């Protein structure tokens, strides 16, 4: 399979529409430059946080003399320090991402989502990195914020291919231990693994203070299972295959799918992971527009 032209991963019209809405985090972040995301540390910015008692050695320029005039006590103003965002885009590159229908492959859809998110993050002055995962972490590009980094990310995404079995869960645990706390981790995957194990990995990431987003990509055929004649179903990650009449298994299949999704949703709620089910027949720009808008709304109401 020939490599894609990386420039085709970005649609200028889509990008121009989405740039009006920033990508924000639901939790305090840590970065090394000033930015517009809340930090867990106190500092100087326009948003007042609280007062605290003066301690010898504090900068007297931060004393609130009006409070002193009223109370005859020394208090310092503290503000929410703001910082830049480190965003890790984790792309599932296992063979099951090859699933294809009339709407194209799940992998190409995920790649376009990742490319657009990377561009938006860097354009707003934050840093973006990329992790490609199948049976192991195959690509690990640390987050950077310079415009030249966008080209590297897009070229890597254009060259990426689904291969190997799903190793998402161990990869997530490895990443949780490896990357510095308080980052935004966006996972693009079909999540074909044990939901309890996926939830445990997300809890690990959340324990490390990361803002975790699960983008669960499903094809319309997988969700509706609207096959009406005998079909040969092939396991994309093993040699196994089965020929069956879909009408005989539809009810049990849909029941199992609903249970799988419900367990993922419950685990996400418990760990405060942002779970989003995405059906790949929906335009990806509409998915991203909703994602950006809803996160701003969540932040406004306190997560």
């Amino acid at each position: 399979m020939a490599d894609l032209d990386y420039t085709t991963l970005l649609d200028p019209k889509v990008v121009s529409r989405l740039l009006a809405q920033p990508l924000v985090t639901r939790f305090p972040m840590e970065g090394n430059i000033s930015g517009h995301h809340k930090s867990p540390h106190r500092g100087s910015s326009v948003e007042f946080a609280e007062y605290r008692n003066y301690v010898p050695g504090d900068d007297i320029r931060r004393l609130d003399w009006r409070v002193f005039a009223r109370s005859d006590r020394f208090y310092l103003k503290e503000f929410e320090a703001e910082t830049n965002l480190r965003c890790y885009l984790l792309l599932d590159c296992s063979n099951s991402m090859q699933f294809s229908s009339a709407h194209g492959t799940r992998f190409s859809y995920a790649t376009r989502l990742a490319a657009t998110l990377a561009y938006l993050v860097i354009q707003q002055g934050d840093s973006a990195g990329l992790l490609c995962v199948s049976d192991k972490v195959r690509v690990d590009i640390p987050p950077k914020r310079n415009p030249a980094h966008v080209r590297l990310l897009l070229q890597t995404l254009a060259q990426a291919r689904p291969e190997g079995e799903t190793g998402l869960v161990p990869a997530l645990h490895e990443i949780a231990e490896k990357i510095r706390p308080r980052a935004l981790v966006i996972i693009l995957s079909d999540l074909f693994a044990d939901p309890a194990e996926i939830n445990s990995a997300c809890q690990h990431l959340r324990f490390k203070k990361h803002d975790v987003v699960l983008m669960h990509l499903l094809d319309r055929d997988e969700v509706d299972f609207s096959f009406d004649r005998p079909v040969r179903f092939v396991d994309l990650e093993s040699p196994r295959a089965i020929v069956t009449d879909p009408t005989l298994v539809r009810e049990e299949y849909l029941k199992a799918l609903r249970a799988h999704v419900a367990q993922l949703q419950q685990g996400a709620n418990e760990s405060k992971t942002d779970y989003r089910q995405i059906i790949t027949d929906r335009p990806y720009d509409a998915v991203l527009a909703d994602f950006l808008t809803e996160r701003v709304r969540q932040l406004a109401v306190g997560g």
Side-chain angles (χ1 to χ4, degrees), residues 51-250:
Y51 286 106
R52 71 168 174 83
N53 290 322
Y54 171 78
V55 177
D58 284 335
D59 186 350
I60 62 172
R61 290 175 297 181
R62 292 168 53 203
L63 286 171
D64 191 316
W65 296 107
R66 293 183 179 179
V67 173
F68 172 76
R70 295 195 302 268
S71 65
D72 200 30
R73 293 184 178 182
F74 292 113
Y75 288 98
L76 272 71
K77 278 185 174 180
E78 290 206 323
F79 300 84
E80 291 283 1
E82 294 183 336
T83 186
N84 65 308
L85 170 70
R86 290 173 296 114
C87 177
Y88 290 84
L89 295 160
L90 191 152
L91 178 63
D92 184 348
C93 295
S94 61
N95 267 332
S96 61
M97 293 290 285
Q98 292 189 70
F99 187 88
S100 178
S101 68
H103 311 292
T105 70
R106 185 183 0 253
F107 189 74
S108 63
Y109 191 95
T111 300
R112 198 169 291 276
L113 282 175
T116 307
L117 283 166
Y119 183 85
L120 294 174
V121 167
I122 292 175
Q123 278 294 111
Q124 71 181 29
D126 293 318
S127 58
L130 176 66
L131 297 149
C132 294
V133 172
S134 55
D135 54 341
K136 61 182 179 180
V137 178
R138 296 184 175 272
V139 172
D140 183 353
I141 300 176
K144 292 184 180 180
R145 60 189 296 268
N146 55 302
H149 192 58
V150 176
R151 181 171 181 174
L152 172 62
L153 296 178
L154 295 182
Q155 287 176 330
T156 303
L157 286 167
Q159 295 166 6
R161 296 291 179 268
E163 57 178 326
E165 298 180 358
T166 298
L168 181 65
V169 169
L172 290 176
H173 285 294
E174 177 185 339
I175 290 161
E177 289 298 322
K178 181 178 179 180
I179 64 177
R180 187 157 52 91
R182 298 187 187 275
L184 174 62
V185 180
I186 301 178
I187 302 160
L188 301 106
S189 172
D190 50 26
L191 300 181
F192 285 148
D194 185 335
E197 293 183 356
I198 293 173
N199 292 336
S200 175
C202 289
Q203 288 174 347
H204 191 177
L205 286 162
R206 288 289 301 119
F207 178 76
K208 295 292 186 177
K209 308 299 184 184
H210 299 300
D211 186 355
V212 182
V213 181
L214 271 182
M215 290 192 168
H216 186 187
L217 277 62
L218 291 170
D219 189 275
R220 177 61 62 187
D221 287 344
E222 294 172 311
V223 174
D224 294 345
F225 204 73
S226 54
F227 307 102
D228 57 5
R229 63 185 64 184
V231 177
R232 182 173 182 262
F233 294 99
V234 178
D235 185 340
L236 293 173
E237 296 186 10
S238 80
R240 291 177 296 180
I242 185 174
V243 178
T244 188
D245 183 346
T247 60
L248 299 177
V249 299
R250 177 177 291 116

Side-chain angles (χ1 to χ4, degrees), residues 8-80:
T8 65
L9 290 176
L10 290 179
D11 184 330
K13 293 181 180 179
V14 169
V15 168
S16 64
R17 289 198 302 271
L18 295 177
L19 278 173
Q21 186 70 272
L23 173 57
V24 299
T25 59
R26 300 173 300 149
F27 308 107
M29 296 287 105
E30 286 185 349
N32 53 14
I33 62 169
S34 177
H36 54 265
H37 305 279
K38 284 189 176 182
S39 166
H41 307 299
R42 301 300 187 194
S44 298
S45 75
V46 296
E47 187 174 352
F48 173 73
E50 63 185 9
Y51 286 106
R52 71 168 174 83
N53 290 322
Y54 171 78
V55 177
D58 284 335
D59 186 350
I60 62 172
R61 290 175 297 181
R62 292 168 53 203
L63 286 171
D64 191 316
W65 296 107
R66 293 183 179 179
V67 173
F68 172 76
R70 295 195 302 268
S71 65
D72 200 30
R73 293 184 178 182
F74 292 113
Y75 288 98
L76 272 71
K77 278 185 174 180
E78 290 206 323
F79 300 84
E80 291 283 1

